[in-house]
Amino acid sequence: MITFIEFVEGPDAGVRLRVAPNLTLGRSKADIIIRDPKISGTHAQVKSDARGQLLLIDLDSANGLYINGLRVKKIAFLQGVIFSIGRTQFRVVQVEGADSSQAAVRVEGWCGALRDSLINAKLNDQTVSEKISSFNPTIKLIFIEGIQAESELVLGYGPRKIGSDSLDIEILDKDAPRETFELHPQEGAAEFINKAPGHVYINKNSISKKILQEGDLISFGSTLIKISYL
């Protein structure tokens, strides 16, 4: 049995997020990112009890978890249960393993889950000719300012496409260009490619390309990102 939470309404209605023990849900610092200003950075965590039942546990968030308008500390993931996090309402959907491949699933995690979904998408798209290779060393984007401040994104492979309309890494800043920048693996580093010169800056300069160094700063709109290598 595979467990999902499904958006009940809004533009994401019907979209399902797969859940598993120890995954966190939140607005920024979480495995599953939910774009809702009423949700805390790390809002809740999935746990498994002694019987193997999956539970969603509130992590002392500001706005809590709700079932039928009542605030609760934990929610059991039982088929059909409807609950709210912030302003977002979900339904629990459980699918037998043999049928899970038919489920429409989008995972919003910043790290491994996003990597898996992107790789699958590329494998299904025969028009993609870009070669995927590893960042060595791994690169980390640290959001210092803007709506995603205090979140971090660790990238193990590339190329990666970043922007407000990107299917790879979405930027939430309303002033971010649809195509903001790309990161391409190079030997021992990552190459920054500016997709919106005049709107996107690195170290306050609007340049088209740069081999990224530790501590470089990428800025656009109200967002400031610091580069680090692991």
Side-chain angles (χ1 to χ4, degrees):
M1 185 73 71
I2 298 176
T3 300
F4 302 91
I5 54 175
E6 179 181 274
F7 287 85
V8 172
E9 57 188 14
D12 290 324
V15 169
R16 296 178 181 178
L17 311 175
R18 182 174 177 175
V19 296
N22 300 318
L23 284 180
T24 53
L25 285 70
R27 190 187 70 254
S28 56
K29 296 188 291 184
D31 298 305
I32 294 177
I33 303 298
I34 303 170
R35 298 187 294 274
D36 182 335
K38 292 297 182 179
I39 292 178
S40 299
T42 308
H43 196 104
Q45 185 171 29
V46 180
K47 292 289 188 181
S48 179
D49 66 16
R51 298 176 299 169
Q53 172 66 56
L54 290 181
L55 307 171
L56 184 62
I57 309 297
D58 182 27
L59 298 178
D60 297 322
S61 63
N63 293 311
L65 307 174
Y66 286 83
I67 293 182
N68 296 326
L70 298 176
R71 184 165 181 166
V72 296
K73 179 64 179 177
K74 61 183 178 181
I75 294 166
F77 284 132
L78 300 174
Q79 176 69 24
V81 167
I82 295 177
F83 66 94
S84 298
I85 309 176
R87 294 173 177 168
T88 305
Q89 193 173 64
F90 294 95
R91 177 187 293 108
V92 177
V93 178
Q94 294 182 316
V95 181
E96 293 293 343
D99 299 327
S100 64
S101 63
Q102 304 303 316
V105 182
R106 186 187 70 192
V107 180
E108 292 288 336
W110 280 117
C111 304
L114 180 59
R115 175 196 62 210
D116 294 341
S117 63
L118 181 64
I119 288 176
N120 288 336
K122 286 184 177 292
L123 289 175
N124 291 328
D125 183 356
Q126 300 303 314
T127 66
V128 175
S129 60
E130 290 180 304
K131 181 180 178 181
I132 296 176
S133 56
S134 299
F135 286 114
N136 187 17
T138 300
I139 188 170
K140 179 164 69 172
L141 307 183
I142 304 171
F143 288 78
I144 298 174
E145 297 177 3
I147 190 172
Q148 290 167 255
E150 300 183 2
S151 64
E152 298 180 353
L153 178 56
V154 177
L155 305 179
Y157 75 96
R160 306 306 295 267
K161 300 178 185 292
I162 295 93
S164 65
D165 196 36
S166 175
L167 295 178
D168 182 359
I169 299 174
E170 183 183 18
I171 295 295
L172 305 183
D173 189 332
K174 63 181 180 62
D175 295 320
R178 295 181 62 185
E179 295 183 8
T180 306
F181 63 93
E182 294 181 3
L183 297 177
H184 290 249
Q186 299 293 335
E187 185 174 354
E191 183 181 30
F192 164 88
I193 298 179
N194 193 341
K195 302 298 290 184
H199 299 279
V200 180
Y201 302 86
I202 184 159
N203 301 327
K204 299 183 178 180
N205 296 311
S206 181
I207 57 178
S208 60
K209 294 183 179 181
K210 183 183 188 300
I211 299 298
L212 292 173
Q213 305 295 319
E214 180 77 25
D216 278 346
L217 296 173
I218 300 172
S219 59
F220 49 87
S222 62
T223 298
L224 181 64
I225 301 172
K226 181 179 179 180
I227 298 298
S228 182
Y229 286 105
L230 301 179

